[in-house]
Amino acid sequence: DEEHDGPDEAGPFDFAGFRNTLPTMRKDSNEDTGDNMMTPMNPLIGNFDPNALPGSALLCIAHSSLKAQSMFSLPSTLLTYTKPGHNLSVRDAESALKRMAKERRIVKNVGQFHVRPNSDVTPNYVLVGDSRIPCVGLYKITPGRGVKMLERWHSDDKYDVKKMYQLASKHECNSVVVLACKS
């Protein structure tokens, strides 16, 4: 018997609990995605297109807090959505994951939040799993090809932003996308 010392390994995400809730959208509809809606341009990021990033991205869905002991210099772009002090609902994270899988790309909006790219420094905050929420874990997004679940995170799984970049390198991803609270 092998001793369990980390997250479960997983294969392609099958949407087991989500199949009946997958959105049905017409091509001319912006319902549920928000990506086709006219959103005011953020002067700090302009019309940033997350899909202009090269290669695959490591997507992390987890709980987090901005309480960090140190800062981390980012080796490549980090995409987050929530603003400091704001919460991201499980429903919005699940909806974004479904959209990314269906549309085979990184989305610009998650719930009420617009993508926030960072290529400089960030607090090295901790990301925590949750055994109660099936979508919590790590995924690999390859634009045009799809989303694959890499690891399911349980309540005792904790990693910081620096570790996300180590995992990104291990899984041949060029950037990191985080769907989490910043409370």
Side-chain angles (χ1 to χ4, degrees):
D1 284 351
E2 291 183 23
E3 185 175 310
H4 179 73
D5 62 351
D8 293 339
E9 294 295 321
F13 189 57
D14 68 1
F15 291 104
F18 309 117
R19 190 158 287 143
N20 293 332
T21 62
L22 285 173
T24 54
M25 298 182 299
R26 298 186 333 255
K27 254 315 196 203
D28 61 341
S29 171
N30 61 22
E31 182 182 343
D32 197 57
T33 69
D35 285 355
N36 296 328
M37 294 174 17
M38 291 299 293
T39 54
M41 185 174 72
N42 181 330
L44 298 176
I45 61 172
N47 288 320
F48 177 81
D49 181 2
N51 296 294
L53 296 171
S56 298
L58 184 75
L59 168 66
C60 171
I61 300 176
H63 297 293
S64 72
S65 169
L66 280 182
K67 297 174 185 160
Q69 300 298 317
S70 63
M71 297 298 285
F72 176 64
S73 294
L74 297 168
S76 64
T77 302
L78 171 67
L79 300 179
T80 61
Y81 294 85
T82 52
K83 297 177 183 177
H86 288 83
N87 293 320
L88 179 68
S89 72
V90 172
R91 183 176 144 211
D92 287 343
E94 288 174 342
S95 177
L97 176 61
K98 286 183 245 179
R99 287 188 0 246
M100 289 183 202
K102 181 178 180 174
E103 298 173 17
R104 298 179 180 160
R105 65 185 182 92
I106 301 168
V107 295
K108 292 180 187 177
N109 297 301
V110 174
Q112 65 180 338
F113 302 106
H114 191 73
V115 66
R116 299 170 54 89
N118 182 353
S119 297
D120 191 19
V121 296
T122 188
N124 192 25
Y125 53 89
V126 175
L127 298 154
V128 181
D130 191 326
S131 300
R132 302 166 298 159
I133 304 172
C135 68
V136 171
L138 287 181
Y139 301 80
K140 183 174 183 175
I141 302 173
T142 305
R145 297 195 58 207
V147 176
K148 177 183 177 185
M149 184 176 219
L150 301 172
E151 298 176 356
R152 165 79 172 91
W153 283 7
H154 299 284
S155 298
D156 57 346
D157 294 317
K158 296 179 182 174
Y159 301 99
D160 59 19
V161 175
K162 182 177 181 180
K163 181 66 176 179
M164 289 300 98
Y165 278 91
Q166 292 169 354
L167 291 169
S169 178
K170 173 185 171 186
H171 293 290
E172 299 176 345
C173 296
N174 299 331
S175 54
V176 174
V177 179
V178 175
L179 297 182
C181 300
K182 288 186 184 169
S183 53

